[in-house]
Amino acid sequence: MNTGKSGDFASKSVPRHLARGAIGFGLLIGSIALVPVAGPATLLAAPLALIAFRGCPTCWMAGLAQTISRGRLERRCTDGVCTLTAAHPAAEAAGVSGGPSTGRDR
């Protein structure tokens, strides 16, 4: 799922990324909350949350920001100075008039 770029935690779509977050946070909270009921063995579910998060919860949050901004922002570096600009304004306008989720699932 990772495209091979260093520091890329984005998903193919925002709903998919939110689903990964729900699974990860559910496993993490559930493993801690069930300790009084089922014993410390429930803590074995916590590492599964790290797989869903693709690292820690902070990595998941970074991936959420990347997923939301993917295709909307473009980083350009010239002479050692990098700036963020809107990527392809014409394509963005076409996506708005084309209806929801048109061309968004990359």
Side-chain angles (χ1 to χ4, degrees):
M1 288 187 219
N2 198 339
T3 60
K5 293 180 184 177
S6 177
D8 186 19
F9 297 102
S11 296
K12 296 211 180 269
S13 67
V14 173
R16 183 178 290 186
H17 197 84
L18 293 175
R20 280 190 24 245
I23 291 168
F25 283 114
L27 284 168
L28 193 60
I29 293 169
S31 68
I32 294 169
L34 290 175
V35 168
V37 177
T42 60
L43 293 175
L44 295 174
L48 296 175
L50 299 178
I51 294 171
F53 287 141
R54 291 186 188 162
C56 62
T58 304
C59 299
W60 180 83
M61 291 296 290
L64 180 61
Q66 289 175 350
T67 303
I68 291 171
S69 70
R70 179 163 279 167
R72 293 185 180 146
L73 295 176
E74 186 174 275
R75 183 173 73 172
R76 296 176 191 236
C77 297
T78 308
D79 298 328
V81 177
C82 296
T83 58
L84 284 175
T85 59
H88 310 293
E92 186 69 26
V96 172
S97 65
S101 74
T102 302
R104 291 282 184 210
D105 196 16
R106 293 182 183 176

